[in-house]
């Protein structure tokens, strides 16, 4: 891998234009200092000063196939030369083929694909489908969740980004999902956590009125809110509850899908088929914006002769779909999903557990594939988080220092609240994964300094 010659002046110009005109998401504009990025390849990206970073964030956990995969880049170029864009109402080869390839990999009978521009819109449309299919309005989601930043998606979201955005008239209710390490149910093991979390959901439904609930939406593996692996039996229990009450079961696989957990979809780990499955991110590694909803035969039939009242100008955009076709085919040809599973089982899992033996700041290690989190604590005995919930400024200093220590050593981290997420591309090599763990080993001494 060759990094272009450093050009600090060019980087400064990019930064100046950004600061003058770009309004960044989730940010206080005067308090941020975005890195000017010059290029990327595989598991790395670099700045204009020649500093290279091992991308242990996969950007926003979406570059599953790595940066600048030549087969995907070529597919976009080839499609651009043929047909750059066409309205959603036409049948075109890249859209048809992308839908076919996705439907081949989704569980059960999820054979119809509605394309969106990303994950938030996928969840918006899944909710719309569920409400129209059932004739009900309420939707239940967990507190520890993130489903996107559009109107219903942010209301579905459980984390604090919801607070400033919710209207209070969305018909969306929240409940506690399973999280054995910080159990809301005083569970002593995962079996108890599963049993009590399901009983809690049953009670919430009883008080909300099951006949008023259109859907329950879960991230199959909770992503940004902690990489929480559901205990055995939980998803099957939710499936049974939904079936009993005529509720649509939606699995949000926007972050967990397309190889991230070592399976095409995380639902495959538990043999669960939802009624609707939402996806984005890894479907084409974000090379062109794309998301969608995979729809069961029963829900699709609702709209066989009744128009679905939803659509997007760029639904199934040819360039995006061509990149998805290339991504899925390349992942299959190159064994990328299998690589993610191997890296998780043989490198990241064992390596992170070894780090936990040496670093008192690590309370718990959890994950699958290339989807891992370190739950960082001040005190292992009490499990007090390293920083308070939704900490900012000085209160968040320990996590900010940890992130800075990683960047100084050439590792780009993904941190959220008191957690360090280890989420490299699905294409990451053993050598790269071990190099990242070595940097993390050094950087964690910063977090250890804040333990008791």
């Amino acid at each position: 891998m060759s990094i272009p010659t450093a050009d600090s002046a060019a980087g400064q110009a990019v930064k100046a234009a950004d600061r003058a005109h770009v309004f960044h998401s989730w940010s206080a504009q005067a308090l941020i200092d975005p890195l000017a990025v010059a290029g990327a390849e595989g598991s790395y990206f670099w700045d204009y000063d020649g500093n290279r970073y091992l991308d242990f964030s996969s950007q926003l956990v979406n570059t599953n196939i790595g940066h600048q995969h030549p087969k995907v880049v070529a597919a976009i170029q080839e499609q651009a030369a043929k047909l750059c864009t066409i309205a959603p109402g036409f049948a075109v080869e890249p859209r048809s083929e992308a839908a076919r390839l996705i439907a081949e990999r989704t569980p059960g009978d999820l054979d119809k694909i509605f394309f969106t521009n990303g994950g938030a819109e996928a969840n918006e449309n899944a909710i719309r489908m569920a409400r129209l299919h059932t004739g009900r309005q309420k939707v239940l989601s967990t507190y520890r969740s993130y489903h996107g930043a559009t109107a219903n998606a942010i209301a579905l979201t459980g984390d604090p980004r919801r607070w400033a955005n919710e209207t209070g008239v969305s018909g969306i209710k929240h409940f506690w999902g399973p999280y054995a390490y910080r159990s809301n149910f005083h569970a002593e093991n995962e079996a108890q956590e599963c049993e009590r979390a399901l009983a809690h959901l049953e009670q919430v439904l009883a008080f909300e009125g099951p006949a008023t609930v259109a859907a329950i939406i879960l991230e199959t593996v909770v992503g940004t809110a902690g990489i929480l692996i559901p205990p055995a039996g939980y998803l099957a229990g939710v499936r049974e509850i939904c079936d009993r009450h005529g509720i649509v079961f939606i699995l949000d696989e926007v972050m967990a899908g397309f190889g991230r957990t070592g399976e095409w979809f995380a639902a495959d780990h538990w043999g669960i088929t939802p009624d609707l499955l939402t996806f984005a991110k890894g479907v084409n590694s974000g090379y062109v914006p794309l998301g969608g909803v995979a729809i069961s035969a029963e829900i699709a039939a609702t709209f066989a002769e009744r128009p679905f009242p939803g659509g997007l100008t760029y639904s199934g955009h040819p360039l995006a779909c061509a990149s998805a076709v290339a991504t899925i085919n390349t992942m299959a040809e190159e064994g990328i999903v299998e690589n993610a599973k191997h890296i998780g089982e043989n490198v990241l899992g064992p390596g992170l557990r070894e780090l936990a033996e040496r670093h008192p700041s690590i309370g718990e290690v959890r994950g699958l594939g290339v989807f891992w989190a370190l739950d960082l604590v001040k005190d292992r005995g009490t499990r007090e988080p390293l920083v308070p919930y939704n900490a900012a400024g000085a209160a968040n200093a320990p996590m900010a220092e940890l992130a800075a220590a990683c960047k100084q050593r050439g590792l780009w981290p993904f941190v959220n609240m008191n957690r360090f997420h280890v989420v490299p591309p699905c294409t990451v090599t053993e050598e790269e994964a071990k190099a990242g763990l070595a940097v993390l080993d050094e950087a964690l001494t910063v977090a250890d300094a804040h333990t008791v």
Side-chain angles (χ1 to χ4, degrees):
M1 179 186 303
S2 60
I3 299 176
T5 303
D7 188 346
S8 297
Q12 291 168 5
V14 169
K15 174 72 75 69
D18 177 282
R19 296 293 66 223
H21 303 294
V22 176
F23 193 95
H24 286 257
S25 57
W26 307 119
S27 301
Q29 304 303 304
L31 303 181
I32 58 174
D33 183 27
L35 181 71
V37 174
E41 183 180 343
S43 298
Y44 294 87
F45 65 94
W46 51 88
D47 63 21
Y48 285 87
D49 293 323
N51 300 308
R52 189 177 73 156
Y53 299 92
L54 177 57
D55 193 354
F56 253 40
S57 69
S58 294
Q59 295 304 290
L60 290 175
V61 199
N62 65 318
T63 55
N64 290 16
I65 204 169
H67 294 279
Q68 298 299 112
H69 196 293
K71 292 179 182 177
V72 182
V73 173
I76 296 168
Q77 292 170 333
E78 291 167 11
Q79 182 60 44
K82 294 177 186 176
L83 180 69
C84 279
T85 192
I86 196 77
F90 295 95
V92 290
E93 190 272 338
R95 186 181 294 148
S96 301
E97 183 64 0
R100 184 186 71 82
L101 289 172
I102 294 165
E104 280 184 353
R105 288 160 174 81
T106 51
D109 67 342
L110 305 181
D111 292 332
K112 296 286 189 179
I113 309 298
F114 176 81
F115 285 113
T116 66
N117 299 316
E121 288 177 349
N123 288 325
E124 289 281 342
N125 282 281
I127 293 304
R128 179 180 289 154
M129 291 174 189
R131 284 172 165 163
L132 292 169
H133 176 72
T134 62
R136 306 170 181 178
Q137 284 299 310
K138 287 182 187 173
V139 182
L140 270 57
S141 64
T142 63
Y143 279 107
R144 295 186 181 95
S145 66
Y146 181 74
H147 296 289
T150 51
N152 278 297
I154 199 66
L156 290 169
T157 290
D159 82 19
R161 287 175 285 187
R162 179 186 84 250
W163 300 347
N165 289 290
E166 61 189 343
T167 64
V169 295
S170 63
I172 291 167
K173 309 293 181 181
H174 291 90
F175 64 98
W176 293 111
Y179 181 9
Y181 185 66
R182 301 188 184 282
S183 176
N184 289 98
F185 313 112
H186 308 288
E188 297 177 0
N189 53 56
E190 289 220 344
Q192 279 188 358
E193 183 75 1
C194 177
E195 179 184 1
R196 294 176 184 183
L198 289 171
H200 163 70
L201 175 56
E202 291 265 31
Q203 188 175 42
V204 170
L205 275 173
F207 279 76
E208 288 294 339
T212 70
V213 177
I216 296 173
I217 183 169
L218 299 175
E219 291 174 274
T220 314
V221 173
V222 173
T224 307
I227 307 188
L228 305 178
I229 312 299
Y234 181 73
L235 294 178
V238 177
R239 172 76 276 181
E240 188 279 327
I241 289 169
C242 288
D243 289 342
R244 182 160 23 102
H245 294 294
I247 296 168
V248 173
F249 187 21
I250 305 172
L251 284 181
D252 178 341
E253 292 254 3
V254 170
M255 190 173 282
F258 291 95
R260 177 60 52 185
T261 67
E263 298 285 351
W264 279 101
F265 291 98
D268 297 338
H269 288 284
W270 295 278
I272 297 299
T273 299
D275 301 300
L276 298 169
L277 183 150
T278 60
F279 63 87
K281 292 185 184 285
V283 66
N284 66 349
S285 287
Y287 283 30
V288 182
L290 183 66
V293 186
I295 308 163
S296 69
E298 181 181 356
I299 293 180
T302 297
F303 305 102
E305 297 184 5
R306 170 189 180 183
F308 174 64
L312 300 153
T313 299
Y314 304 118
S315 176
H317 192 282
L319 298 184
C321 287
S323 66
V325 170
T327 296
I328 294 168
N329 285 334
T330 299
M331 291 182 84
E333 292 162 5
E334 298 184 1
I336 291 171
V337 178
E338 293 81 0
N339 183 69
K341 182 177 182 179
H342 163 72
I343 293 294
E345 290 179 351
N346 300 299
V347 183
L348 292 181
L352 291 170
R353 284 187 281 269
E354 287 178 13
L355 293 184
E357 294 175 4
R358 293 196 294 277
H359 294 281
S361 58
I362 299 177
E364 184 178 54
V365 174
R366 52 182 179 261
L368 291 166
V370 286
F371 205 32
W372 292 82
L374 302 178
D375 206 316
L376 301 180
V377 295
K378 282 186 177 181
D379 185 327
R380 277 184 173 172
T382 64
R383 301 184 181 181
E384 180 185 355
L386 189 65
V387 297
Y389 185 76
N390 201 37
N396 192 52
M399 293 303 295
E401 291 169 12
L402 173 60
C406 289
K407 294 173 185 178
Q408 290 165 4
R409 292 166 171 81
L411 182 74
W412 200 265
F414 189 113
V415 295
N416 188 42
M417 298 199 187
N418 70 305
R419 297 175 305 275
F420 189 103
H421 293 195
V422 179
V423 286
C426 298
T427 52
V428 70
T429 65
E430 286 191 17
E431 181 182 14
E432 291 167 344
K434 289 176 180 177
L437 291 175
V439 172
L440 183 54
D441 192 11
E442 294 180 10
L444 280 165
T445 59
V446 172
D448 294 340
H450 294 277
T451 60
V452 297

